[in-house]
Amino acid sequence: MLLLNIGRRTLTAKLDETDLRILNELQRNSGRPIHELADLVGVSMPSCARRVKKLEQDGVIVGYVALLSPDAVGLDLDVFVSIRLRTQTLKAMADFRKLVSAMPEVVECYALTGDSDFILHVRMPGVKEFNVWMQSKLIGMSTIFTTHSSISLERVKYSTALPILESCDGTSSPKKPAKRRSSR
């Protein structure tokens, strides 16, 4: 059994090994046809389709996206901005969350413990554009006390896949799928 925190509620989803293999394969490529997915995980096509539908309905699968190449769309600068607010009141933090959520350049935002209240992952075409964005959008916010920016020199690892198989059985590779029964 796997506990999932979705929004404000905790969802208990009973996920067996087949569900985990399906999820793992969907994280690698969600665009493949259901018959290919069924073959990869070793179940019949109808069973696979039912399982995927249930995972969607249960909120385990929350959506499907196309992952774009940042270089191909001219957004190859990754900047990480640490933010310290003037006050850590609920209102100040809510106001900051609202403002940042409306900024398309901010692709990720996390509330933190420690010296910073938030860290932003910002995507930009270049350093000049980042400077203009900082001056016009961020530095003028009255709720911000300090900022610290770090520009990424190289992306060493990037993944959108959650380590679900590793966290469930302690291994780093998926188990081989069972032989699929013929539907003849």
Side-chain angles (χ1 to χ4, degrees):
M1 188 179 312
L2 186 63
L3 292 177
L4 301 168
N5 186 4
I6 299 173
R8 293 184 185 177
R9 62 192 172 104
T10 298
L11 172 69
T12 303
K14 290 187 177 187
L15 301 176
D16 63 16
E17 189 176 322
T18 301
D19 290 330
L20 295 175
R21 286 196 316 264
I22 288 170
L23 292 170
N24 199 52
E25 290 302 326
L26 286 173
Q27 287 188 116
R28 289 184 187 160
N29 180 359
S30 65
R32 65 171 50 108
I34 197 75
H35 69 87
E36 285 182 24
L37 180 61
D39 284 343
L40 281 169
V41 299
V43 296
S44 70
M45 201 167 66
S47 173
C48 188
R50 277 192 304 273
R51 284 174 177 266
V52 169
K53 186 69 170 168
K54 182 159 179 20
L55 291 166
E56 292 168 349
Q57 290 171 341
D58 288 349
V60 177
I61 297 173
V62 295
Y64 300 93
V65 299
L67 299 176
L68 307 180
S69 164
D71 294 340
V73 295
L75 296 171
D76 56 351
L77 182 69
D78 283 300
V79 185
F80 298 91
V81 184
S82 298
I83 306 284
R84 182 78 178 165
L85 300 181
R86 291 192 186 284
T87 65
Q88 286 72 37
T89 64
L90 293 176
K91 182 180 179 343
M93 295 185 84
D95 289 347
F96 181 78
R97 283 182 176 99
K98 184 177 179 183
L99 289 168
V100 167
S101 294
M103 297 177 176
E105 303 86 358
V106 177
V107 295
E108 295 179 275
C109 175
Y110 298 94
L112 303 174
T113 62
D115 294 333
S116 298
D117 296 313
F118 293 92
I119 189 161
L120 311 179
H121 177 190
V122 179
R123 278 293 200 167
M124 288 284 168
V127 175
K128 288 180 184 177
E129 292 84 356
F130 174 70
N131 184 42
V132 168
W133 179 82
M134 279 289 287
Q135 299 295 323
S136 64
K137 299 263 181 107
L138 209 57
I139 292 180
M141 296 173 104
S142 62
T143 57
I144 294 178
F145 179 63
T146 61
T147 66
H148 176 82
S149 301
S150 297
I151 294 175
S152 170
L153 299 175
E154 175 186 11
R155 180 186 281 183
V156 177
K157 180 182 179 186
Y158 170 77
S159 176
T160 60
L162 299 175
I164 55 174
L165 289 174
E166 291 83 349
S167 66
C168 293
D169 67 8
T171 64
S172 60
S173 60
K175 294 179 183 174
K176 291 183 180 177
K179 288 284 185 185
R180 186 169 64 130
R181 291 184 184 153
S182 176
S183 57
R184 294 179 190 166

